[in-house]
Amino acid sequence: MALASPALAASVEVVTFGCRLNALDSATAKAMAGAAGLENAVIVNTCAVTAEAVKQARQTIRRLKREAPSRRILVTGCAAQIDPDAFNAMDDVDRVLGNAEKTAPESWQATRAALDFGLGDTAKVVVGDIMAVRETAPHLLDGPADTIEGHTRAFVQVQDGCDHRCTFCIIPFGRGNSRSVPMGAVVARVRELVCDGAREIVLTGVDLTSYGADLPGAPRLGTLVRALLRHVPDLPRLRLSSIDSVEVDAELLRALAEEERLMPHLHLSLQAGDDLILKRMKRRHSRADAIGLCAALRRARPDMVFGADLIAGFPTETETQFRASLDLVDACGLTHLHVFPFSPRPGTPAARMPQVPPALARERARRLREKGAHALLRHLAGEIGGRREVLAERGGLARTKSFTPVRLATPLAPGTLTHIRIAGHDGVRLIAA
């Protein structure tokens, strides 16, 4: 991909809402917009995961226009894909691009022609049918080099979209159906990033463990992991982002048990600890499935550390059902929690279910976070006195294999791999001796 000159790239700003994948898309969209010659423009890359996220995007658009009335506002992302008419109705918005269009060079070329010269496609809304997209966009692998965080960690999106329909989630309608990047292309991209200085690669996707189902031969995520570790021997660390526990394949389990370069840290999309609530969420795992997976992984890899997404106050949730989620923290041995009070997303089945009062959902989320804080303290305390391999980052920080942050006694150059002794912790991060 031809990138813009520094001057042109600097004249295009990006405001990103939502997930890591949106951040990767934003870097690509900015480069493509600059390469197309767009100037004095800001791209607002929206998120649709909650109604609040959409509200914040609209407020930001209005603020940006007030601050610089002559600046063009270009809106894209999941909220724009799902409800383009809402942004089309805003006088502050100059162009609305869908999720497939935001990473296509021709979309930005047409946008510049339409805005600067009145040429080409002059429609304000350019949003296609995301469900009709079958190929995996090349940008997933050809993103700009600044996806490497300080020559330390690079995120590689190997999958997009989702074939499942959890009752609380609108994202499949913003991202489309699941589609994967061929293994050979992933290996080539990772090799390139390692040559450029990345010391750790993080594989990411909307539904990462569905990787490969649409590819010839239907390889699984474990097959991709093995191929990367085999064909990129200079890669020191390989890490996985959030995964769906029910889709963990046998080859991935073996890789986690046998491959030292595959990090012993998994973030699990668990959401709840009660079977009836899981069924109403239309999740595909049970409480026993989650506990069994964590136990099996810890037997295979004793240093395994788990994070998890959990929702508090899902519709119809009783106090007893909520306590099942609290108890799941100990039953699975969870350490890093991402807790969300349930917020009804218009257009989802869960929004039409009997709701838990918002104040009660927030209170339950507070209790879950408190439980998570105690779990983290136990993990930090258990690390004291041990020697750990860490990967240095900026600002005198580093990360252990379990992704736990460490404050270094002496700052190291980002990307340095070294062993340190853990002397203590401050309640949030470890402290090196």
Side-chain angles (χ1 to χ4, degrees), residues 181-388:
V181 180
M183 282 198 300
V186 177
V187 170
R189 179 56 174 159
V190 169
R191 186 180 290 123
E192 177 186 3
L193 288 167
V194 171
C195 289
D196 286 345
R199 306 291 283 160
E200 180 174 292
I201 297 294
V202 185
L203 300 184
T204 187
V206 173
D207 183 22
L208 183 59
T209 35
S210 71
Y211 175 86
D214 57 318
L215 297 176
R220 302 295 300 274
L221 181 60
T223 312
L224 174 64
V225 164
R226 291 283 203 185
L228 284 169
L229 293 171
R230 182 169 61 253
H231 294 297
V232 193
D234 293 334
L235 169 63
R237 286 183 168 192
L238 179 63
R239 193 180 295 279
L240 304 178
S241 64
S242 181
I243 66 170
D244 192 337
S245 60
V246 78
E247 290 182 322
V248 174
D249 61 278
E251 187 65 19
L252 181 57
L253 284 172
R254 284 192 292 271
L256 283 162
E258 299 168 2
E259 299 280 4
E260 284 295 318
R261 292 185 293 147
L262 181 58
M263 296 297 96
H265 167 253
L266 289 177
H267 191 84
L268 305 174
S269 179
L270 297 182
Q271 308 306 346
D274 178 81
D275 283 339
L276 182 56
I277 293 298
L278 288 168
K279 185 175 181 180
R280 288 174 177 165
M281 288 178 168
K282 210 173 179 181
R283 300 295 294 167
R284 293 167 300 134
H285 72 273
S286 67
R287 175 186 178 88
D289 292 334
I291 295 172
L293 174 68
C294 291
L297 283 168
R298 194 166 276 117
R299 284 193 300 270
R301 189 93 176 253
D303 59 344
M304 183 67 69
V305 172
F306 298 107
D309 291 331
L310 291 170
I311 296 174
F314 187 80
T316 76
E317 182 187 72
T318 65
E319 177 63 20
T320 299
Q321 290 168 330
F322 168 68
R323 286 178 182 168
S325 291
L326 275 177
D327 295 343
L328 191 68
V329 177
D330 292 330
C332 284
L334 304 178
T335 297
H336 306 289
L337 299 190
H338 288 176
V339 176
F340 309 89
F342 177 78
S343 174
R345 181 64 176 86
T348 62
R352 301 190 295 272
M353 296 178 184
Q355 302 292 304
V356 170
L360 181 56
R362 291 192 296 270
E363 169 62 15
R364 288 176 177 172
R366 183 197 63 76
R367 291 162 62 190
L368 255 181
R369 292 188 184 108
E370 186 176 84
K371 181 80 170 180
H374 288 305
L376 177 60
L377 285 175
R378 284 198 301 272
H379 168 69
L380 295 174
E383 294 289 284
I384 295 175
R387 282 187 63 81
R388 298 289 181 263

